[in-house]
Amino acid sequence: MRAILKDIITGALNDAIAEGLLKSTVDLSVILERPKRDKFGDFSTNLAMLLTKSEGRAPRMIAEDLIKGITASDLVERCEVAGPGFINIFLKRSYWLSTLAEILKKGEGYGNITAGGNKPVQVEFVSANPTGPLHIGHGRGAAVGDALANILKAAGFDVTKEYYINDAGRQVQNLGESIGLRIKELAGEEVEFGDNHYKGDYIIDIAKEYIAVCGTDEATTEDYKNFAIKAMLGRIEKDLVDFGIVFDQWFSERSLCDGDKDQVGATIAELTEKGLAFDKDGAKWMRTTDFGDDKDRVLIKADGERTYFASDIAYHRGKIRRGFTKIINVWGADHHGYEPRIRALFRAFGHDDEMLRVVFIQLVALLRDGEPVAMGKRSGEFVTLRQVMDEVGTDACRFFFLMRKPDAQLDFDLELAKKQASDNPVFYVQYAHARIHSIARLAKEKGIELPDTIDVATLVGLELGEEMALIKHLAAFEDVIEKSAQLMEPHKVTFYIQELAGLYHPYYNRQRVVTDDKAQTIARLLLCRAVAQVIRRGLALLGVSAPESM
RNA sequence: GCGCCAGUAGCUCAGUUGGAUAGAGCAACUGCCUUCUAAGCAGUGGGCCGGGGGUUCGAAUCCCUCCUGGCGCACCA
């Protein structure tokens, strides 16, 4: 739709130039916006104001020369110059009705656009260490990552969702040791835990599982570690599945340094060859400062052990090699200091680091009736995703995680999320959907049949201002998806469907859909169907269900 | 000290290639159920867009500076 309008305006511009009214040949990309006020039209452009410099004339005069060509289009009802030189465009009602017909025709596919050009994109998210259960911070990352993946898919990208498993290195070593200690303890031995050991109850559970499966024979920390990683990942995957998230790929860090195909070693060797790695103080470093980092980074420590960063350069190198043209990492905001070195890696290997996009997830502050849940601002770290999910349900949980832009701290009120009233946004939106289905059921009972083919004539019964407002909002859905994908901000979809529900409820309250006026009833039923369809699709992008009755 | 993110209505937040009178939800107050779900709707009040400079026809938006808050500055992951 936007494209059609741009064509109209560009056409008007060219006409004006051809007639000698304008002289500018500057290639301006036409900026179209949806004005805040109805009286400013369905769309407006500031093109004339942008041309003042090159034309050397007042913007309103330039605008006058442009509106002739715009008005000539048969989609345009009228077109006027306003304010400092805006061109406000009003489209014909028939245009909007045909748009609604189009939306209905596309059905569930409405919302799919081609902006992504089918380019392969990877979204890596959650990637929590398999050393403990997912907490609500991970949950927010999971909700954002998954919604982002859905939105990018709708925007026409070829998306792969990936979880990076940190199954190598110190942390999982600590995990193995922790299990070993608990097993000894269970056997009645006196044990002492170190600061680095995991002491949660889940460790005891896994220790018991180990005994049940493998017996009490002497075993190595390596055995415990491998068992525990598997057990933890099983729990994490279960949490995620129950949260509605299924990954395309689980990528093991360990697989990057498996003996014969040691990609970490190979990547380090390559950096050394390029002169980008050097030895200092008994350690091997990467010269990340050459690529914008504020200090160089250690790859291999003086004790011979590799750093996490060493694995990560091999991992990201691999992402590029796997052919992804856009690489998205969803990280906790506390990792933002890590971004420059990863960016450095892209540039070190001659890639445009623009292909990397890191989405940072801010903390979640859990509240109950407005009061902080646990002491301390990091309460989110101590509450598991499972607890919250079980308490408020996955729908409310996911919706709440997506109500704010990822990089803004989020207040999550558990009582509000459970509340079945209009001040709970998730219920507000779902309720609009359920109401429409309720009407549809009534219509069906009354034997009202909807036509198979829908055109403008079918919809002429829609003539109220609030009906046009609904249609125009429906028509904006694809723009929202494009923008949301482009900026990697799923909350735009959340806001959009809240607005849509906010337009629908008053309409429902004021107007009756099923009446004795057959033609009007059918038109209104179709409008309702379109609203339900878009709400359902929007909720689906967020990973939230759309119940047909509540 | 340096870096990143933020500061918009009482609260939580939208507002992103600079646009017209800065928006929404909640909370508060006042109304609305013989009618498709009142789990809803209508109305009212509410703002030096953190402060100060600058850029220009125009700034919440861009630049500089200061203040405040969060986070990060490992041979941890």
Side-chain angles (χ1 to χ4, degrees):
Chain A
M1 169 174 55
R2 208 160 260 264
I4 297 169
L5 280 156
K6 283 194 180 186
D7 286 348
I8 293 172
I9 294 170
T10 315
L13 185 59
N14 290 336
D15 288 353
I17 291 168
E19 289 176 37
L21 293 168
L22 294 178
K23 59 187 179 208
S24 297
T25 48
V26 262
D27 185 31
L28 287 168
S29 62
V30 173
I31 295 174
L32 264 181
E33 53 183 32
R34 289 170 196 277
K36 295 172 206 157
R37 284 161 224 283
D38 289 345
K39 65 172 182 176
F40 295 150
D42 296 322
F43 289 92
S44 81
T45 177
N46 61 351
L47 183 61
M49 275 128 83
L50 296 175
L51 289 169
T52 38
K53 277 223 173 75
S54 55
E55 289 293 318
R57 287 196 294 154
R60 291 191 64 113
M61 291 175 64
I62 300 168
E64 292 293 345
D65 289 337
L66 284 168
I67 61 173
K68 292 177 204 125
I70 297 171
T71 318
S73 161
D74 53 4
L75 302 180
V76 175
E77 171 75 32
R78 68 177 202 278
C79 175
E80 54 195 35
V81 181
F86 289 101
I87 298 172
N88 294 338
I89 302 167
F90 298 78
L91 298 174
K92 286 187 181 156
R93 189 166 76 97
S94 60
Y95 167 77
W96 290 112
L97 295 182
S98 68
T99 301
L100 175 59
E102 195 65 25
I103 290 167
L104 286 161
K105 194 174 150 202
K106 285 186 183 167
E108 297 303 313
Y110 179 59
N112 290 331
I113 54 176
T114 55
N118 219 31
K119 284 195 285 251
V121 175
Q122 185 206 52
V123 185
E124 183 217 318
F125 59 109
V126 188
S127 301
N129 279 349
T131 53
L134 298 177
H135 55 67
I136 68 167
H138 295 128
R140 187 176 183 194
V144 169
D146 197 50
L148 205 48
N150 291 338
I151 290 164
L152 289 166
K153 242 178 249 178
F157 290 94
D158 176 14
V159 182
T160 301
K161 297 188 280 185
E162 181 155 309
Y163 186 117
Y164 181 55
I165 309 164
N166 300 124
D167 54 1
R170 193 66 240 169
Q171 298 307 321
V172 285
Q173 190 64 27
N174 293 340
L175 175 71
E177 288 171 12
S178 306
I179 299 291
L181 287 167
R182 286 297 189 189
I183 287 174
K184 275 189 187 160
E185 189 183 53
L186 287 168
E189 277 185 52
E190 191 81 7
V191 294
E192 206 170 304
F193 291 92
D195 288 345
N196 294 327
H197 289 131
Y198 297 97
K199 301 170 195 75
D201 288 344
Y202 63 93
I203 297 290
I204 301 174
D205 294 339
I206 294 174
K208 286 177 182 163
E209 278 170 37
Y210 182 89
I211 294 166
V213 174
C214 309
T216 51
D217 293 347
E218 189 68 26
T220 63
T221 300
E222 191 70 12
D223 296 329
Y224 297 140
K225 181 176 91 178
N226 291 336
F227 183 88
I229 289 172
K230 223 171 145 194
M232 267 326 305
L233 283 175
R235 285 164 161 74
I236 287 170
E237 188 171 5
K238 174 82 165 58
D239 283 355
L240 289 169
V241 166
D242 291 347
F243 199 45
I245 294 171
V246 176
F247 282 90
D248 299 310
Q249 181 84 33
W250 293 72
F251 193 98
S252 154
E253 177 183 359
R254 227 191 275 180
S255 72
L256 289 167
C257 47
D258 272 347
D260 52 332
K261 44 176 182 134
D262 177 8
Q263 293 166 65
V264 177
T267 309
I268 293 173
E270 218 175 317
L271 285 171
T272 310
E273 247 171 70
K274 286 173 177 273
L276 298 173
F278 63 96
D279 295 309
K280 195 182 94 181
D281 303 333
K284 188 173 274 295
W285 302 64
M286 176 175 168
R287 205 182 305 281
T288 53
T289 48
D290 281 5
F291 306 98
D293 200 3
D294 57 350
K295 53 184 78 162
D296 291 327
R297 305 295 172 177
V298 171
L299 295 167
I300 302 173
K301 298 186 254 178
D303 65 5
E305 213 175 312
R306 288 163 173 174
T307 62
Y308 178 81
F309 178 55
S311 295
D312 236 14
I313 58 171
Y315 178 45
H316 283 85
R317 187 80 205 284
K319 289 187 181 188
I320 300 167
R321 288 207 163 135
R322 281 192 272 161
F324 297 112
T325 54
K326 206 186 245 288
I327 291 165
I328 300 162
N329 291 346
V330 179
W331 288 348
D334 54 342
H335 285 68
H336 71 252
Y338 200 74
E339 185 181 0
R341 74 191 78 167
I342 294 294
R343 233 166 244 295
L345 155 86
F346 277 75
R347 294 165 63 184
F349 283 107
H351 297 280
D352 184 355
D353 66 321
E354 287 293 302
M355 69 192 293
L356 172 71
R357 172 66 197 270
V358 184
V359 176
F360 291 106
I361 305 292
Q362 265 291 357
L363 288 180
V364 178
L366 265 194
L367 308 175
R368 194 177 286 283
D369 283 328
E371 297 299 317
V373 158
M375 295 301 289
K377 52 204 166 192
R378 284 182 167 270
S379 59
E381 305 251 330
F382 304 111
V383 178
T384 62
L385 172 62
R386 171 64 64 184
Q387 286 172 297
V388 177
M389 220 159 84
D390 286 351
E391 179 172 346
V392 308
T394 59
D395 280 348
C397 197
R398 290 190 69 150
F399 194 96
F400 270 64
F401 281 144
L402 296 166
M403 283 198 309
R404 301 284 173 252
K405 78 173 109 171
D407 201 17
Q409 194 186 318
L410 170 74
D411 283 346
F412 190 140
D413 195 311
L414 293 166
E415 293 306 319
L416 177 60
K418 279 191 291 186
K419 210 160 154 191
Q420 314 223 328
S422 66
D423 51 350
N424 179 358
V426 60
F427 276 88
Y428 186 77
V429 173
Q430 288 180 318
Y431 186 46
H433 183 263
R435 274 184 150 173
I436 292 171
H437 276 271
S438 178
I439 295 175
R441 283 189 293 271
L442 178 87
K444 202 172 176 189
E445 276 169 31
K446 292 202 167 188
I448 298 167
E449 303 246 347
L450 293 176
D452 291 331
T453 54
I454 298 151
D455 53 24
V456 174
T458 327
L459 300 168
V460 285
L462 301 172
E463 44 195 7
L464 298 171
E466 43 198 330
E467 288 166 340
M468 298 314 291
L470 275 165
I471 294 172
K472 288 173 188 176
H473 202 258
L474 291 172
F477 186 47
E478 294 186 337
D479 286 349
V480 170
I481 289 183
E482 183 171 358
K483 198 85 180 167
S484 179
Q486 182 198 330
L487 298 173
M488 316 246 169
E489 293 183 344
H491 76 284
K492 292 199 181 298
V493 173
T494 318
F495 273 84
Y496 171 83
I497 54 175
Q498 286 186 82
E499 285 158 6
L500 181 55
L503 288 172
Y504 185 75
H505 283 302
Y507 174 65
Y508 172 93
N509 205 256
R510 229 184 330 239
Q511 309 298 338
R512 233 190 125 72
V513 172
V514 180
T515 63
D516 293 335
D517 184 335
K518 197 73 179 275
Q520 189 191 55
T521 297
I522 286 171
R524 288 185 172 177
L525 280 170
L526 288 169
L527 173 60
C528 289
R529 177 197 276 180
V531 171
Q533 168 193 309
V534 172
I535 288 180
R536 193 183 319 123
R537 185 75 207 276
L539 285 171
L541 291 174
L542 304 180
V544 177
S545 73
E548 298 191 357
S549 67
M550 292 170 72

